[in-house]
Amino acid sequence: MYFAIAFCIFLGLLVFLGVIVRSLSTLGKDVPREDREFLDPLSTPLRILWPLVRFLDFYFGRLYPARIVKRVELQLQLTGRSYLLSARQFISLSLVAASLALAMALLVVHWLELDSMLLPLLAGAIGFFLPRLWLRDIRARTVKEVEKQLPVYLDFLTLSMEAGLNLNGALGQAVGKGPAGALKREFEHVLRDMKSGLPRADALRRMDERLQIREVTNFVSSVVQSERMGGSIAATLRFQSEQRRTERFQRAEKQAMEAPVKLIFPLVVFIFPVTFIVLGFPIVMKFMQEGLL
């Protein structure tokens, strides 16, 4: 009797899940195919979640608040990921990550037989903000990489212009010989903008708007002003190169001076207690053997 009831319930669940999967597959057919020929390739985790992301974007993307979409667009622009996914797709990715984290936390709570919804809600919140933490980490690495590579590219530009090339040719040489990274991609964008007919000053300003890094802003402002006033761009670039190299040395010196302060916490919490245990254990054992403890 009980076996028949359990079998009927199990069969009903299978039918219910089949109907849901069938409905989702039918709705998924309405989602148009995406042409990613001129977009950045997706990573493996994104490729797995991408059908769900596009499903949410197609059916619910128009409902996202415009203010949040605009803020996400700015974040994607600053991190150079605007060619990977759109702002609405990023919000959909956050919702997918939150749903998956919530479902996994519910399974853990059920498995551990806990009577609390705090863990699933906390997991869902972490899943929602995880893509934003990913963007913040990318932004920090991009800023650090640009600050490190800018003096090198300024040296290439200076040497090329002093050898007789104009600024466009110097940019081409710097892109061809410079190290790979975020700054190289930005200079490539500048060259593509100029080849498409955009004035050089506007192309450099667009690079400054995409990066919004103080050192790049100073470089673009100096080059544009020197070109407008008829000054020597090579001399301006050499001064910029020396200044950026001095700033890089000062940042390294500051980090070296901060290292002892940052080491205090791991020393006090981890290293000193272990050292005291290693030194004190033989003494304690000696006292215990002699009956003094």
Side-chain angles (χ1 to χ4, degrees):
M1 180 68 179
Y2 294 107
F3 176 77
I5 296 175
F7 179 75
C8 291
I9 294 175
F10 178 71
L11 187 62
L13 288 175
L14 285 180
V15 173
F16 179 70
L17 290 175
V19 171
I20 291 178
V21 171
R22 181 67 177 174
S23 302
L24 290 178
S25 62
T26 303
L27 291 174
K29 291 180 180 178
D30 297 333
V31 179
R33 293 177 60 87
E34 184 181 30
D35 185 12
R36 298 195 61 87
E37 182 179 357
F38 300 103
L39 298 176
D40 293 339
L42 296 171
S43 60
T44 302
L46 276 179
R47 198 178 301 115
I48 296 173
L49 301 177
W50 203 243
L52 293 175
V53 171
R54 297 206 59 239
F55 181 85
L56 285 180
D57 179 37
F58 180 75
Y59 284 103
F60 304 103
R62 293 181 292 273
L63 303 178
Y64 298 154
R67 180 174 57 85
I68 297 179
V69 172
K70 187 174 181 180
R71 188 191 310 166
V72 172
E73 284 178 352
L74 179 59
Q75 293 175 349
L76 292 174
Q77 174 187 318
L78 293 178
T79 54
R81 293 303 181 271
S82 55
Y83 293 97
L84 179 65
L85 72 171
S86 65
R88 289 186 172 88
Q89 288 174 342
F90 181 83
I91 298 174
S92 301
L93 175 63
S94 300
L95 294 175
V96 170
S99 302
L100 291 177
L102 180 63
M104 293 176 62
L106 286 173
L107 289 176
V108 171
V109 167
H110 177 71
W111 180 57
L112 296 177
E113 298 181 354
L114 300 176
D115 189 14
S116 175
M117 286 298 296
L118 180 60
L119 178 61
L121 293 177
L122 182 61
I126 293 175
F128 182 80
F129 288 104
L130 190 61
R132 284 167 171 75
L133 296 177
W134 170 61
L135 282 186
R136 183 176 298 180
D137 181 65
I138 292 176
R139 173 63 179 174
R141 286 190 280 111
T142 299
V143 171
K144 188 178 296 185
E145 188 179 67
V146 169
E147 291 175 348
K148 180 180 179 181
Q149 293 181 351
L150 185 58
V152 179
Y153 277 92
L154 288 175
D155 287 338
F156 278 120
L157 292 174
T158 303
L159 293 174
S160 299
M161 293 200 67
E162 290 180 347
L165 293 176
N166 58 8
L167 185 55
N168 293 4
L171 284 172
Q173 289 294 322
V175 168
K177 304 294 183 182
L183 194 57
K184 182 175 183 176
R185 291 194 298 269
E186 291 300 327
F187 279 129
E188 288 174 348
H189 291 165
V190 171
L191 290 175
R192 285 203 298 265
D193 289 341
M194 289 191 296
K195 288 179 181 178
S196 64
L198 194 69
R200 184 166 57 200
D202 294 339
L204 290 173
R205 290 194 186 98
R206 288 183 62 179
M207 180 184 73
D208 181 29
E209 292 175 357
R210 287 192 299 266
L211 289 175
Q212 294 188 14
I213 300 176
R214 181 179 59 85
E215 288 78 2
V216 177
T217 302
N218 292 337
F219 158 69
V220 171
S221 301
S222 300
V223 171
V224 172
Q225 185 177 4
S226 178
E227 187 176 17
R228 183 184 303 167
M229 301 299 293
S232 174
I233 299 180
T236 302
L237 290 174
R238 178 167 293 280
F239 174 76
Q240 285 286 320
S241 175
E242 294 175 354
Q243 188 175 8
R244 298 289 87 77
R245 193 177 291 105
T246 301
E247 291 176 353
R248 187 174 65 177
F249 176 78
Q250 290 175 351
R251 283 195 300 270
E253 190 177 32
K254 179 183 177 182
Q255 292 176 357
M257 295 177 66
E258 290 176 350
V261 179
K262 294 180 179 179
L263 284 174
I264 292 176
F265 180 76
L267 281 173
V268 173
V269 176
F270 300 107
I271 299 178
F272 284 169
V274 175
T275 303
F276 293 149
I277 291 173
V278 171
L279 295 177
F281 181 76
I283 300 174
V284 173
M285 292 301 297
K286 180 78 171 176
F287 286 161
M288 292 179 65
Q289 291 176 358
E290 294 181 357
L292 297 178
L293 288 178

